[in-house]
Amino acid sequence: MDIPPLSEVRRLTEKKRDAWWTVLLVDPVATPLVRWTAKWTRVTPNQITWGALFLGLAAAACFARGDWKWLLIGAGLYHLSFILDCMDGKLARLTGKGSEFGGWLDYVFDRVRVLICAVALMGGQYSRTGEVAYVWLALVVVFLDALRYLDALQIFKVRHSMRKKIRARAKASRRAARALMTAEELERDQELEQREREREQERENDGDEEQGIAFMEDLLRENPTADLDDPGREGPDTGAGSGEEGRPREKKVIDLHVEFKSRFPWYGRFRTFLLRHRIRTHLVSGIEFQMAVFIVGPVLGAIMPVTIAAGALLMVFELAIIYKLLLSTRDFERTLASYPVPEVPENASEAAAPGAAPGIPAQPGGPDGESLPSRGGTAVGGR
């Protein structure tokens, strides 16, 4: 296959938002290596994933020796392992050879590497010093790593559930409003809905177009540096003409972080500054925690204090994310309330044209008439 120039490879493979360690210390090396690998070899993403695991095991063997010289070698091997861990996803995006199994393999091998390296690193220090604190520290590292990724998965599920319920409420509100329309108004609305369905099929979106809404998170994913500090605003749908005069239909932008932004007005400027450099605001995530434990600590010869400090910072940022989720659920309730489903008179269906949607209860259920679950969604992928 034809491999594009490096600038295009960066655009295709590098995330718009990533950990600062990845942006500053991994991508400058990994992206050129990915281009070279795709151009000159037949290496697959899964093979790179296996290579990352083997380098991680080699790092663990060095950590187990306990001596500072071996700790330096282990830290270097761990960083190389992480570079390969980033390369497999980039190569999959560049060549289109990614797979669901590859994503699972990457996630599981990451957890295995952390587990084995934590036991080896702290076990080596226990053998060298006899301090039982290192045994407990190994358990803490494994626990915090698991907690971070389990928490991320559950938060994703909650957010997905909130978005799903908002879509259902918006759809229910629109259907109820249609039941109150005159025959002429209903005919125009049905024509508009048909055009929207056609655009939906073309764009293969997730259904937001049908309800005339857009979520702030989706807009930020497309353009992380966008100035979207005006919550609840309405913007034009840039699709095909959506009215008798060909004017674009207004699409409501839903922001589920309004209360958080109002309490921390400085956050928007801070976020914009970081995202100009592709750095996400979650400054101490699982990645930074791993690098502190398995690279910074061994290099500085200060494994225990660095691990404790990194663990404390990880918990601070995790609690901040949980607090942000709490405020987001309040925005979610307010958003649902902004979509009241009007009661439909008994004779509304008679006034409407044949085939008009009948009235529905004020509390809409799921797509098939069932109650929407309080939690649900799909699993979020790893790197």
Side-chain angles (χ1 to χ4, degrees):
M1 62 176 295
D2 294 332
I3 304 301
L6 183 58
S7 59
E8 181 66 9
V9 172
R10 292 188 188 280
R11 187 188 68 82
L12 293 173
T13 63
E14 293 181 354
K15 297 178 181 179
K16 295 181 178 179
R17 294 183 292 178
D18 213 336
W20 64 265
W21 185 282
T22 303
V23 172
L24 300 178
L25 301 176
V26 176
D27 282 349
V29 177
T31 305
L33 284 178
V34 166
R35 183 178 184 274
W36 183 89
T37 301
K39 186 173 183 178
W40 300 107
T41 74
R42 295 184 178 180
V43 174
T44 66
N46 285 353
Q47 290 172 338
I48 293 181
T49 303
W50 280 97
L53 176 65
F54 290 143
L55 278 179
L57 296 178
C62 295
F63 289 150
R65 301 295 294 270
D67 182 75
W68 187 65
K69 177 183 68 176
W70 287 104
L71 291 180
L72 285 179
I73 298 175
L77 289 174
Y78 195 90
H79 186 61
L80 290 176
S81 173
F82 185 67
I83 290 177
L84 288 184
D85 186 35
C86 295
M87 286 179 60
D88 55 6
K90 295 178 185 297
L91 184 63
R93 288 189 288 273
L94 180 61
T95 62
K97 295 180 180 179
S99 65
E100 296 300 324
F101 178 76
W104 174 88
L105 196 70
D106 182 39
Y107 179 82
V108 171
F109 281 5
D110 284 351
R111 309 284 69 77
V112 170
R113 180 180 58 195
V114 171
L115 172 63
I116 295 177
C117 284
V119 172
L121 178 62
M122 303 308 172
Q125 294 306 297
Y126 172 73
S127 299
R128 187 177 66 85
T129 65
E131 295 186 31
V132 181
Y134 283 106
V135 177
W136 291 104
L137 210 56
L139 296 176
V140 169
V141 170
V142 174
F143 170 77
L144 289 179
D145 179 74
L147 176 65
R148 162 72 188 113
Y149 285 93
L150 287 174
D151 186 40
L153 173 61
Q154 292 305 314
I155 287 177
F156 174 83
K157 287 183 176 181
V158 171
R159 289 176 175 170
H160 182 80
S161 176
M162 291 191 296
R163 290 162 61 105
K164 184 177 180 181
K165 291 180 180 180
I166 289 173
R167 294 190 195 103
R169 175 61 67 87
K171 187 175 182 179
S173 180
R174 181 174 176 180
R175 286 180 173 175
R178 286 181 59 191
L180 301 176
M181 292 180 180
T182 64
E184 184 179 352
E185 291 173 337
L186 182 61
E187 183 178 357
R188 287 199 301 266
D189 191 76
Q190 288 175 334
E191 292 176 358
L192 171 60
E193 187 173 6
Q194 178 61 32
R195 286 195 291 268
E196 288 177 343
R197 286 201 187 102
E198 293 174 356
R199 292 204 305 275
E200 180 182 343
Q201 293 175 356
E202 293 174 358
R203 299 178 187 183
E204 296 181 352
N205 60 25
D206 59 3
D208 293 342
E209 289 290 331
E210 182 181 350
Q211 288 77 53
I213 62 176
F215 286 95
M216 182 84 71
E217 292 176 343
D218 293 336
L219 299 178
L220 291 176
R221 189 177 297 113
E222 296 173 2
N223 182 12
T225 59
D227 182 13
L228 297 173
D229 291 332
D230 184 11
R233 70 178 185 180
E234 293 186 351
D237 182 349
T238 57
S242 54
E244 290 181 346
E245 301 176 6
R247 291 193 300 266
R249 186 175 206 179
E250 295 295 317
K251 184 165 60 174
K252 184 176 182 180
V253 177
I254 296 178
D255 186 3
L256 295 180
H257 301 295
V258 174
E259 186 169 347
F260 180 84
K261 292 177 181 179
S262 66
R263 295 195 180 196
F264 304 95
W266 52 266
Y267 175 79
R269 295 187 297 271
F270 176 66
R271 173 189 171 278
T272 300
F273 172 77
L274 291 179
L275 290 182
R276 285 173 181 165
H277 305 282
R278 293 199 305 115
I279 298 174
R280 63 190 181 194
T281 53
H282 192 184
L283 294 178
V284 182
S285 64
I287 293 175
E288 288 82 6
F289 176 66
Q290 289 182 40
M291 302 307 119
V293 173
F294 301 121
I295 297 179
V296 178
V299 168
L300 296 180
I303 294 174
M304 185 174 294
V306 169
T307 300
I308 293 174
L313 288 173
L314 177 65
M315 287 306 301
V316 167
F317 276 87
E318 288 304 303
L319 290 175
I321 290 177
I322 294 172
Y323 177 67
K324 188 177 181 181
L325 177 65
L326 172 63
L327 298 183
S328 181
T329 59
R330 297 175 182 175
D331 288 320
F332 162 71
E333 296 294 340
R334 285 190 287 267
T335 301
L336 279 187
S338 70
Y339 283 102
V341 181
E343 295 184 1
V344 182
E346 293 182 359
N347 60 348
S349 58
E350 299 177 0
I360 59 177
Q363 298 296 330
D368 299 322
E370 301 176 355
S371 298
L372 290 174
S374 59
R375 304 186 65 168
T378 55
V380 61
R383 289 196 54 79

